[in-house]
Amino acid sequence: MAQFMDVHTNMPGVTAEALLEAHRADLAIQGEESVDFKSAWGDPVTGHVFCLSEGPDKDAIQRIHQRAGHPYDEIHEITVTA
């Protein structure tokens, strides 16, 4: 499976509780698209949230996020790591 980092840019004021709730919403349905959401990080000041996942393609990840109510603004396939 490929790894992806997606970016949400419109979540100003995000709290740890809200981030966990959004992450759990993804986890609840991720299997339907063969996606595995690993972690999520947020910055309440900028409103940026970042999600690390594995899945078959970008579209599968977007479908899960859309159904969970928080589509991403950008997604990047991770092809090089150190």
Side-chain angles (χ1 to χ4, degrees):
M1 288 284 181
Q3 284 192 318
F4 299 93
M5 179 68 69
D6 58 75
V7 183
H8 308 259
T9 61
N10 194 22
M11 299 179 91
V14 67
T15 64
E17 295 82 17
L19 183 59
L20 182 57
E21 182 179 322
H23 185 62
R24 285 182 177 157
D26 291 331
L27 295 177
I29 59 174
Q30 68 182 2
E32 297 172 24
E33 295 282 352
S34 299
V35 172
D36 183 13
F37 284 95
K38 302 292 189 179
S39 297
W41 303 268
D43 179 358
V45 175
T46 64
H48 291 174
V49 168
F50 307 90
C51 300
L52 176 65
S53 61
E54 290 182 349
D57 55 42
K58 294 176 181 182
D59 293 336
I61 294 162
Q62 178 70 321
R63 286 190 295 270
I64 294 296
H65 276 326
Q66 285 177 324
R67 289 178 51 205
H70 44 271
Y72 60 73
D73 298 296
E74 299 176 24
I75 189 164
H76 307 276
E77 186 171 355
I78 299 168
T79 57
V80 177
T81 60

